[in-house]
Amino acid sequence: MNEPFTHALPILHTLHEHGYQAYFVGGAVRDVLLGREIGDIDIATDATPDTVESLFDKTVDVGKAHGTVIVLLDGISYEVTTFRSESEYEDFRRPKEVTFISSLKEDLLRRDLTINAMAMDIHGDIIDHVGGKQDIERKWIQTVGDPACRFQEDALRMMRAVRFLSELGFELSPKTEAAMKKDKHLLANISVERKKIEMEKLLKGRYCEKAIQVLISTQLYEELPGLETYGLNESLQAFPYYLLDGLEEVWGAFIHLLGLDEAEAVSFLKEWKLSTKVLKEAVAISKYVDCNWDEEKMFEAGEHVLLSSLKITQLKHERRIFFDELEAAKHSYDALPIKKLQDLAVSGKDLMAFRQKPSGKWIAEELACVKKAVLQNQLENRKEAIEEWLIACDQRLEND
Ligand code: ATP
Ligand code: MG
């Protein structure tokens, strides 16, 4: 066993010393078998949440009712969850009751996919009651138990299956795929917030193109916000989102490839309940994809939007990022004489004093002219130079 598991071993040892069972479970066990980078490490135990709290110095209650306590060790947080079964489900989404149990096996059987339902003990030995190892070898995504039942219990599992397919490049097992096609409408019962988490991970997956094909072939996309209206097109939306950085870039590329105009993009992203900040940036990024850049457009867009939309333009046409071109764009942006209107050497007040005129619409118009001339390097950003330039403009107008 190696890092980062060894670092978490003291938690398992403490639980053992007090007579409890404790194992590593879920995603971290899957990822170690896959040779992937290990993300968060989750621990499962038969100790109750109150007991877990009492055994460790630093804990955070993040959902004791559902069995989870965070244990902090050297600044790293570990979710320690009591073995549980989720017997009855309400509205195809949430367990009516969580029952704490003492059987690891039962805890593993309630998990969504076979690849996510394995445990590892303190010696590094894998406990696999559901054929998870075999599915990793044959690259299969399938539910633990009958897929139709498991999707009835919690329909989000359909999206999770496609999300893991996107991350791993695996195939759906025939039974899992058939159940998904049959029961896709159950996804309508799931909150947008939960769907969004899976959709964002799906888009960022290395095999997203394959996942988009599956969303289409199973018609699952029809149950996703906005996509029932705008559709999903395999050849258009296939895109290496995983090469992008923030979520604003991912959504920016997605709405651009959907061909949405600004108003449509705003309402689409609102349906996905994006934060205002991410929504605004995504819409701006999308607007500038394929743009013919000049100084004014760079100024309007700002550095982040400029670089993000340029990157998306490159990926759209060439399917790779040209870092030298991004670097050159950054230099051009840095060389702009002003980055915001306030950087102009004259303000609206200065113009009013200079013109001896009361405030009015003319100020914004005149500032826009000055801004344009400064950005195009036709005018120096200095107060006297700008005033001289305005006088020269007036004279030219009089002569015309
Ligand atoms: P990631 O590395 O992306 O976080 P993960 O496998 O850790 O992947 P989580 O969403 O963090 O995924 O869930 C942790 C574990 O909880 C899963 O591995 C799975 O065993 C279980 N799980 C999560 N969601 C469900 C669900 N809807 N139904 C049943 N089990 C689930
Ligand atoms: Mg996780």
Side-chain angles (χ1 to χ4, degrees):
M1 193 186 306
N2 41 26
E3 277 279 343
F5 290 102
T6 46
H7 189 266
L9 272 179
I11 300 179
L12 269 59
H13 284 303
T14 302
L15 286 159
H16 285 184
E17 281 157 19
H18 289 84
Y20 298 103
Q21 307 172 55
Y23 298 89
F24 298 118
V25 284
V29 179
R30 174 199 67 224
D31 289 341
V32 78
L33 290 173
L34 281 164
R36 289 173 97 211
E37 198 185 320
I38 312 295
D40 297 336
I41 293 192
D42 296 333
I43 293 166
T45 177
D46 58 346
T48 63
D50 285 333
T51 307
V52 173
E53 264 184 347
S54 71
L55 291 179
F56 297 94
D57 289 344
K58 290 186 187 155
T59 60
V60 186
D61 173 1
V62 284
K64 262 166 66 181
H66 287 95
T68 306
V69 171
I70 283 188
V71 174
L72 285 155
L73 195 66
D74 301 331
I76 302 180
S77 54
Y78 298 95
E79 275 192 15
V80 180
T81 304
T82 308
F83 296 158
R84 61 188 198 203
S85 67
E86 297 163 357
S87 40
E88 275 181 84
Y89 285 78
E90 247 177 352
D91 322 331
F92 319 101
R93 51 185 166 179
R94 74 183 97 84
K96 199 168 155 190
E97 230 174 38
V98 170
T99 315
F100 298 142
I101 52 174
S102 57
S103 153
L104 168 71
K105 183 173 177 184
E106 229 185 298
D107 180 83
L108 294 175
L109 291 178
R110 65 143 179 113
R111 294 172 184 268
D112 56 353
L113 306 169
T114 56
I115 57 169
N116 288 343
M118 290 174 281
M120 186 165 83
D121 67 16
I122 45 164
H123 309 293
D125 292 330
I126 302 291
I127 296 118
D128 176 14
H129 297 291
V130 296
K133 259 201 234 166
Q134 188 192 13
D135 285 347
I136 283 185
E137 274 157 28
R138 62 180 168 181
K139 299 187 188 299
W140 266 23
I141 305 273
Q142 68 171 326
T143 55
V144 174
D146 177 42
C149 296
R150 305 310 309 282
F151 294 154
Q152 284 279 337
E153 290 170 358
D154 179 0
L156 186 75
R157 290 171 187 156
M158 293 191 254
M159 273 211 83
R160 286 178 57 84
V162 188
R163 184 262 274 201
F164 283 107
L165 179 150
S166 181
E167 291 181 348
L168 306 175
F170 285 17
E171 307 288 335
L172 293 178
S173 79
K175 266 188 166 176
T176 300
E177 184 172 8
M180 226 182 246
K181 283 183 174 158
K182 196 167 138 286
D183 292 331
K184 65 181 170 65
H185 60 277
L186 293 176
L187 203 56
N189 303 303
I190 300 298
S191 73
V192 174
E193 287 82 355
R194 292 183 79 205
K195 285 178 188 163
K196 183 176 70 173
I197 293 172
E198 298 303 327
M199 186 65 179
E200 288 175 340
K201 291 186 173 176
L202 184 157
L203 287 174
K204 290 222 74 176
R206 176 69 184 78
Y207 303 91
C208 170
E209 299 189 18
K210 194 167 172 175
I212 286 183
Q213 280 171 15
V214 172
L215 287 181
I216 294 171
S217 67
T218 55
Q219 295 177 317
L220 217 57
Y221 76 95
E222 290 177 5
E223 308 300 331
L224 296 177
L227 293 178
E228 80 284 8
T229 313
Y230 296 111
L232 193 58
N233 181 314
E234 194 176 317
S235 58
L236 290 181
Q237 270 91 44
F239 182 89
Y241 299 95
Y242 68 95
L243 293 174
L244 297 174
D245 290 312
L247 287 172
E248 65 282 1
E249 289 189 0
V250 171
W251 285 107
F254 195 69
I255 55 180
H256 173 79
L257 298 166
L258 273 176
L260 308 186
D261 66 27
E262 201 167 327
E264 289 170 335
V266 169
S267 76
F268 177 80
L269 297 181
K270 274 192 179 157
E271 275 197 62
W272 277 98
K273 299 201 176 169
L274 259 62
S275 71
T276 313
K277 185 171 176 284
V278 175
L279 184 149
K280 279 192 178 157
E281 286 204 30
V283 172
I285 289 169
S286 157
K287 183 172 132 191
Y288 287 102
V289 175
D290 286 332
C291 155
N292 282 321
W293 292 101
D294 59 24
E295 288 82 1
E296 267 196 285
K297 291 207 176 101
M298 288 197 279
F299 173 88
E300 271 168 32
E303 184 177 9
H304 180 56
V305 169
L306 159 70
L307 296 177
S308 296
S309 51
L310 186 57
K311 201 194 299 173
I312 293 169
T313 308
Q314 295 172 347
L315 287 169
K316 179 181 162 191
H317 298 289
E318 310 286 343
R319 300 194 69 77
R320 54 169 286 215
I321 297 175
F322 295 88
F323 290 98
D324 47 350
E325 198 189 347
L326 292 182
E327 197 58 29
K330 190 178 173 342
H331 277 302
S332 305
Y333 181 83
D334 288 342
L336 290 179
I338 53 170
K339 306 287 190 295
K340 49 190 188 311
L341 213 50
Q342 292 90 310
D343 294 342
L344 269 186
V346 295
S347 65
K349 263 194 186 151
D350 295 329
L351 286 184
M352 274 159 65
F354 174 66
R355 292 289 192 201
Q356 304 273 301
K357 261 168 65 177
S359 140
K361 227 175 93 189
W362 65 273
I363 296 182
E365 288 165 5
E366 198 145 88
L367 277 178
C369 290
V370 173
K371 176 194 82 181
K372 188 172 177 179
V374 168
L375 280 170
Q376 292 177 345
N377 280 318
Q378 291 167 359
L379 170 59
E380 200 187 335
N381 188 26
R382 195 165 49 79
K383 198 171 172 189
E384 297 75 34
I386 293 171
E387 287 176 355
E388 279 167 28
W389 183 81
L390 287 171
I391 293 167
C393 286
D394 292 346
Q395 283 169 353
R396 228 177 298 138
L397 278 177
E398 276 166 26
N399 293 339
D400 281 350

